[in-house]
Amino acid sequence: MSARGSLWQRIVGGLIGTLSLAALGGVSVSASAAPPPDFVEAIDVPWDAGGVLIVSWRVDGDPSAITGWLIERREEIDGAKWVTVSELPAAAREVTATKLSHDHAHRIRVTAFGESGQLSKGLETAPTLAHANFFIGAKLPLFVGILVVSTCVIVFILSARAGRPIKIRRIAALDAVDNAVGRATEMGRPILFIAGIQDMDNISTVAGITVLGHVAKTAAEYDATIEVPTSRSLVMEAARETVQASYLSAGRSDSYNPDLIRYITDEQFGFVAYVSGRMVREKPAACFYMGCFFAESLILSETGNSIGAIQIAGTAESTQLPFFVAACDYTLIGEEFFAASSYLSREPDQMGSLKGQDAAKLITAAAIVIGVVLATLASLAPDGAFPAALTWFKGVLGS
Amino acid sequence: MRIVATDCGSTTTKAILIEERDGVFRQTFRGEAPTTVEEPFADVTLGVTNSVTELQELSGYRLIADDGTIIRRRSQSDADGCDLYISTSSAGGGLQMMVAGVVREMTAESAKRAALGAGAIVMDTIASNDRRKPHEQIQRIRELRPDMVLVSGGTDGGDTKKVIELAELIAPARPRPRFGGEYKLPLIFAGNKEARGAITRCFGGEGFALSIVENLRPTLEQENLGPARERIHDVFLEHVMAHAPGYDRLMSWANAPIMPTPGAVGDILQTIARGRGINVVGVDIGGATTDMFSVFGGVFNRTVSANLGMSYSISNVCAEAGMDSVLRWVHLDMDERELRNRVKNKMIRPTTIPQSLEALVFEQAVSREALRLAFIQHKAFATTLKGVQQQRTVGDAFSQDAVGKSLVDPMAIDLMVASGGVLSHAPRMEQTALMMIDAFEPEGFTQIAKDSIFMMPHLGVLASVNARAAMEVFERDCLILLGWCVAPKGEVRAGRPALEFTLSGGPSGGNAEVAKGQLVGGEMRLVRFPLGHSGKLEVRPEKGLDVGAGPGKPVKRTIEGGTVGVIIDARGRPLKLPTSPSVRRSAVAGWQKALEIYL
Amino acid sequence: MAKAYTPGLKVTPRTTYQARRLLPVPGTVKVKHGDRVTADMVVAETFLEGDVFPIKLAAMLGVNPRELPELMLKKTGDQVAVGDPLARTKGIFGMMKTEAKSSAAGVLESVSDSTGMVIIRGPQPAVQVRAYVAGTVVEVIAREGVVVETSAVYAQGIFGVGGEIWGPLVVAATGHNADLLEGDITESMKGAIVLGGARMTAGAIRRAREVGVAAVISGGIDDADLRDVLGYDLGVAVTGSEKLGITLLVTEGFGDIAMARRTYDLLAATAGRMASVNGATQIRAGVMRPEIVVPIDGGGTGEVFGGGATAGLLEVGTRVRIIRDPHFGVLGTVSALPEQPAVLGSGSKARVLEVAIEDGSRVTVPRANVELFGE
C-alpha cells in the first residue's frame, strides 16, 4: 500500500513542479528588474562520496531588487533538461547541490527573481563533475575507531599466540557442562540438547551449535548418550556434523549414532510438544537449551526442572532470560553465550579476539561516560567552555 | 582402669599406657620398639611385646607374661596386667586400595573418599572418563598390587552398563594382591543395586572375594559412605591383616578391631569436632607422605599426599614446589647447588637429622612447601558433591556459583592440629606454630595445637571402646596447645596501619590488661600468654580487613593461653612475600625475630 | 646404653653371595641343581598374559548387545588378526549387511551380551630371567626360579640408577679421591664396568654413554648431572627400571665426595674380573641398595649373604661414616657414646656420639647421622 501511495505522490508532485516551472518561465520574458548574478562557481566537495557540488555566486549590482534565487542543474548529456535544485531567499550566496550523478558533469544555473516574480538572466557554471573520492573525510572517526578495535584484537591475538595467558572470568554455566554430563552418565539417562528453534542463519543457533560441539565431546568422553531434536532440517545436518566431529576427536567414533540427532517439525509448538513429551517419558538427566528461544523457553525449562534434570541454558533473547534464569541451574546471558566458543576452545586466536573486543567495548563505554558528563556540564553551564567541548566531542565521534 | 594401646607404624611400634587416677583418665607412660613385620622377624607381635615391655619397665606394672602375651587383669585389685588392649596398624605400607567408579568426579570420587576415610592409601582411581583408553586402564590395574578393590558407580536405578563395563575391565585384568599365593583379592561393590547380579556373575569366579554393600551414592544428591567404610575395615581385618605376619595373634589379643592408623586419627578428630562443634584441620607430615584431615561443618575428609614428605620424598617436594619457593622462607644465604645435593643425600639417607641451624632452617622451609602443597590437594578434594541439581531464583542471574566448591575455608578453621616429625620434633614450639601459619594461611582467629607424641591413633580406637577415656586423654595429654593465630583477611599495605588489638586476662581470666598495640601491614607480633591463662582478645582491623566479623568490623573473643602465646599476623591474606630477594630476606628475618623462631 | 643398632652398607672382600632369580609369574626353570652358570645365561622363562584390547562391537554394528553372540563370526578362543571380521549383522533380506573388523590381534577371550564388548587378548610376551652372577645353581624352586651362589667381593653402594648389568671391571680413575673425567673414559671400555674415584663428572657420564660403557661406579654424583642423565628431577629414590643404556652407581652420596679408600682398593684389586652390577635402589619399604658383585675363586666365608639392608651394633671403636653435613662423608671411629642427649647447633636435643676422625680431631654428631662402615 505505502509503495503505491508514494508513487502517486511522486507523480502528482512532478506534475505540479513542471507546471510551476512553466509558469515561472512564462513570466521571466516580460520584466528585468532583478539583476543577474555576476559570477557563479561550482566546486566539487573534496573527501566525499561524490554527487555533491557547492555552488557559490556573487552579485555586483543592486541586490535589493532580488527577492530570491532559483538554482537549477543540468546533466552534460544530450537531451538533458534543467532541473530545479532549490529556491533560496535573497540573502543566499551559496548552496550545496546533492544527489548528483557521479557519471557525468553538471552545469548549474543560478537565476535571480524579483518582487513580482520576474526572472533575471541565468548564469551557468562550467560543467563540473561531482567526484566520488577514495576516502570520505567525514567517516574519519569511524575509521580511527575501526583501527583501534582491530589493533586491540590483533594485539591480544598476537600476545595470546606468544603464550601470554589471557584471563577469562569463570563462566559457571560452561564449567557445569562436565557436571551435567556426569550426572547423565551416573544415572544412565540421556542428555538432551536443543539448539533453539531458528535456522542456521540466526547467529544464536550458530553459537548453540558451537556449544553442542563441546557438550558432545564431553558426552563422548563419558560415553553418555546425547539426543538433539531440531526444528530445522539444516540445523539437524549441522548438529550431526558437529557431534560426529566431537566423537571423533574424543576417540570414540564407534559410539556415534546419527539417529539420535533428528528433525521434528518447523512448527514452533509442534516441536515444543514433542520435546516436552520426550522429556517426561525419557527423563533426561541433563538438558541444554542453547540458541534462539521464544515462548517455549519456560515450557521447556519448567518441564526439565520437574523431572529433576540439570539444566543449562544460553540465549541472547533478553525477554526469555528471566525464565531461563529462574528455571535452569545455569544460564549463559547474552554476551556470555557468544563468548562460549572461545571460552571452551581456549584457542589463542579466539581468546585474543574476545579480549580485543572487550577492550573496544571498554573504550566505547568510556566514550559514553565522557559524552554524558560533557552534555550534563554543558546544560548546567551553557556559557562556559563545555558546549564547545561537547560540540567538538560530537564532531570527533562523527555525529 | 588400665589401658594399653599400641600403634604398629611402618618403622616403630609405639605403646602408651592410660590409667584412671582420681576418676580422670591420663596417659602415663610410653614405650617404643622397632616394628617387626618384615623379615627376619616377620611377626608383628614381637615389636608389640617389646614396646609394651618398655612400658612395663617404666611403670613398674607387670604387663607381659612369660609367653610374651599381654596380661589381663581379672579384677581392679590385681596389681599386674591391663583391662583393655587396643591397637592400630599401618605396618607394611598400610592398607593399599584401588577404587573405581563411573564418573571420576562423582561416584569414583565418593569411592575414593570412602577408602581414604577408612584409612587406606588409594593407589589409583579408575573411571570411565579418566581419559585413559580401556587397555591402558587394564594395564594399570595389572601393574598395581592392591590389598583391596572398591568398585562403585551408578546411582540406585541409574547406570548399569558402565558399571558392568568397569567390572569387565577389572575381572580379566586379575590384579594380583600384594600377599600372593592362595590369597583371593577382596573386592567390595558399593554401586547401583540393580547391577549386583551382573557384578556377582563377573567376580563370582576365581580370584576374587566379592562382598556387596549399599550404594555409596544412592542418588547424586546424597553420599552414604558409612557402609562401605565399615566393610573396608572388616575386609581389612578378615583378609588383609589375616595374611600379614603375626596379625592373627595380635587380633586375638585386642579388645577392639585393629584399625588402620589414619582411619583412627580421622575418628578421633571427628569425635572432637562433633563434641565441640568446631571446624578442625589436622596434618600428619611423615617421611614419605603427608596425611591431611579436616572436619568442616561436620563433614570429614582425608587426603594422603603421596610423595610429599620430609625424608624419602624430600627431593620430590623440592622438585614439585621448585627450589625458589622453598628458598623464599629462608633468611640465610645458601648455595643452591650445595642444597640440591643435600636434598638428594637426605633422600638416600632418610633417617638423618639436621645438626646445624642452617640445615634446620632449610628443612623447615621444605616442610612449609610440603604442607602447603598437601593443603592445596586437600582443598581440591574436600568439596561439596558434584552432579547435583541447583535451585535458583531470578536474583541469582549474576551469582551463579559452580558446584563442587571447596569445603575448606581458612576463615572457618577453629583448630589446627600438627603432628609428624618435622612439626612435633621442632626444637622450639614457635617454629611449629609458624610453619603451620605459613603453610595453611589461617584467617581470623585460629587455635594451633600439636599432638605431643602422636597419640591420636591410639585414642581413635579407644574412642570406639571408651569414649570418655579417649576424650579426657585427648584434652589433657594428647594436645599441647601452642596458642592462637589472629590474621586479617585481605590485602594489607606495607607500613600502613592494619589492626589494633587489646588482650586482657590472666591465670584465672579477669580483665587485667596483658598487652595492647597496633600492627602495620607486613608485621607479625608475638604476645606471650602462658598455658593455663585465659582472657579476651579484641582485634579492631582497618577498613577492608576482616578478622571474622566482616571487613573493618572488630572482633572480641575468649581465648586460652598456650606454650607459644598469641601470634598476630598482619601480613594479609592471601599471603604475599616481597618479590625482591633482599627485601624478602629481611622481611622473613624480621618475622622470625618477632616470633623468636631461631635463637 | 653404650650400644645401639645403626644401619650400614656392606663392603667385604669375601662373602658367599646368593642371588635369588625368580620369575614374576610361574614358568619353566631351564637349569638344574649344581649347574655352573654365567651371568648372561637364561635360567628361567615364562610367558606373561597378553595385553587386553576391548572392542565395542555392538556399537560398531549398531545392534543391541543382546543380539551380539549370534552375530559373531569368531568363537571365544579363536585366533584373531587385525582386520579380521569379527561379527556381521543379518541385514535386511540378506542385503545391507554390516561387518565389524578387529582392530587388535590375539585370541578372542570373551563376548559380553550386556555391554556389547568383546575382549581380545594380545600375544604373550616372553619373560626371561638370567643368572646375573656367574656361579653355581644351589637351589631350584620349581616353576619359579633358582638360587645362584658364588664367592664374591661384595660392595653395596648408596644410590644407583639403571638395572642389572655385567661386564669386566676396569679401573678408570687415578685414585679414590680423583674425579672421574671425560678423558678417563676410552673406547676400549665398551661393555665394561668402569670404576671411578670421587665424583663422576657430567663429561665422563656423557662419554661413557657414547662409548657404550655398561656401568660406572664412583664416589659421588652431582644432582644436576643426574637430572641431565634422567631427563627429570628424581623425587623418590625408587630406581632400577630406567632405560638409560647404562647403570650408574655411587658409593657415598651426592656432591663432591671421594670414594672410601677401602671400597676403592677392594674393587680396584679385582680389575679384569667379570663383575655384576645392579643400580636398583629402593629406600622405602624393604630397603634395597645398589650392589657390585665380583665373583672370585675359592670358598666363601660360610656366611651367606643375599643383599638387602644391613644393620649392626654401634660401640666405641666402631668404624663409621658421617652422613650429614656439616661433616658429610667423613670417616672415623666412634670414640665416645654419651648417655645423655645433647643440644645440637640447630637447637634440637638428640642422642649423640663422638667420632675420632682420621686427621686426629674429634667431632660430636647425632647418632642418627652416622652409618656403619665396614663388614
Side-chain angles (χ1 to χ4, degrees), chain B residues 151-174:
Chain B
V151 179
S152 143
T155 54
D156 277 342
D159 176 76
T160 51
K161 184 168 159 248
K162 267 169 225 79
V163 186
I164 301 169
E165 256 175 40
L166 274 176
E168 283 176 356
L169 286 184
I170 295 169
R174 289 192 269 279

Side-chain angles (χ1 to χ4, degrees), chain B residues 315 318 323 336-345 347, chain C residues 159 199-200 220-230 232-235 253-256:
Chain B
S315 172
C318 295
M323 213 44 148
E336 200 177 318
R337 176 187 166 227
E338 177 83 25
L339 283 181
R340 284 184 182 277
N341 281 332
R342 282 188 193 172
V343 165
K344 286 284 188 298
N345 280 324
M347 170 184 84
Chain C
F159 174 78
R199 182 166 71 88
M200 52 176 95
I221 185 170
D222 207 277
D223 166 56
D225 298 338
L226 177 69
R227 205 168 12 166
D228 285 348
V229 173
L230 291 175
Y232 56 90
D233 198 352
L234 188 71
F254 286 87
D256 281 307

Side-chain angles (χ1 to χ4, degrees), chain A residues 69-302:
Chain A
W69 298 98
L70 174 70
I71 319 293
E72 295 160 293
R73 64 176 168 85
R74 196 182 76 194
E75 231 171 318
E76 278 292 284
I77 43 174
D78 291 339
K81 296 224 167 62
W82 286 101
V83 178
T84 304
V85 173
S86 63
E87 287 178 32
L88 298 169
R93 291 295 180 272
E94 196 182 270
V95 71
T96 308
T98 57
K99 296 180 181 168
L100 308 177
S101 146
H102 302 176
D103 306 333
H104 303 283
H106 281 81
R107 282 172 190 277
I108 307 287
R109 185 169 73 183
V110 180
T111 316
F113 53 89
E115 264 167 47
S116 53
Q118 324 99 312
L119 293 173
S120 70
K121 203 172 140 226
L123 190 62
E124 291 173 19
T125 64
T128 314
L129 185 64
H131 280 288
N133 294 95
F134 168 70
F135 189 84
I136 303 167
K139 304 275 185 192
L140 184 67
L142 191 63
F143 178 66
V144 172
I146 290 171
L147 272 189
V148 169
V149 173
S150 328
T151 314
C152 284
V153 171
I154 291 169
V155 164
F156 279 109
I157 288 180
L158 289 180
S159 86
R161 279 193 196 161
R164 248 194 60 198
I166 285 188
K167 190 178 173 289
I168 296 193
R169 117 184 118 79
R170 282 176 63 91
I171 302 180
L174 294 175
D175 292 340
V177 168
D178 286 1
N179 217 21
V181 174
R183 183 181 173 88
T185 316
E186 289 284 6
M187 297 178 72
R189 306 235 194 97
I191 299 157
L192 192 70
F193 191 101
I194 319 246
I197 57 160
Q198 294 288 296
D199 216 331
M200 284 311 290
D201 57 350
N202 187 305
I203 187 73
S204 292
T205 314
V206 178
I209 294 290
T210 314
V211 178
L212 171 64
H214 175 67
V215 175
K217 189 169 174 200
T218 314
E221 277 164 8
Y222 285 60
D223 204 8
T225 318
I226 180 163
E227 286 185 24
V228 188
T230 64
S231 83
R232 307 282 155 154
S233 49
L234 255 182
V235 177
M236 177 187 80
E237 277 307 314
R240 281 190 175 176
E241 298 249 325
T242 310
V243 173
Q244 187 171 20
S246 298
Y247 270 79
L248 242 139
S249 73
R252 302 230 184 182
S253 50
D254 51 345
S255 303
Y256 167 66
N257 181 358
D259 295 343
L260 292 174
I261 300 159
R262 49 185 167 250
Y263 164 75
I264 310 300
T265 167
D266 270 31
E267 284 303 319
Q268 182 181 13
F269 286 100
F271 179 71
V272 172
Y274 166 81
V275 175
S276 308
R278 182 102 190 145
M279 278 159 92
V280 171
R281 287 189 304 274
E282 294 285 317
K283 296 204 169 34
C287 300
F288 292 85
Y289 313 108
M290 299 278 170
C292 194
F293 290 90
F294 298 100
E296 65 281 1
S297 64
L298 194 57
I299 305 177
L300 295 178
S301 49
E302 265 304 311

Side-chain angles (χ1 to χ4, degrees), chain B residues 386-458:
Chain B
K386 291 165 193 151
V388 175
Q389 197 197 13
Q390 309 279 303
Q391 293 301 332
R392 301 229 187 256
T393 62
V394 179
D396 295 337
F398 299 106
S399 59
Q400 307 175 7
D401 39 70
V403 290
K405 262 193 353 197
S406 182
L407 293 168
V408 178
D409 173 9
M411 183 62 91
I413 306 174
D414 296 304
L415 173 66
M416 299 196 295
V417 183
S419 68
V422 69
L423 290 172
S424 52
H425 293 156
R428 293 179 59 77
M429 305 266 191
E430 290 81 2
Q431 294 167 358
T432 309
L434 186 59
M435 279 188 268
M436 293 290 281
I437 294 170
D438 285 345
F440 298 144
E441 302 184 24
E443 295 164 1
F445 284 66
T446 312
Q447 193 171 23
I448 306 171
K450 78 172 186 182
D451 183 2
S452 55
I453 51 168
F454 200 52
M455 215 191 288
M456 286 196 285
H458 309 91

Side-chain angles (χ1 to χ4, degrees), chain B residues 80 91 98 159 176 185 207 231 290 319 383 402 417 472 498 535 581 596:
Chain B
D80 294 336
M98 191 190 87
D159 176 76
R176 291 178 303 148
L185 180 67
R231 186 58 63 90
T290 296
T383 57
V417 183
E472 284 179 5
E596 302 170 29

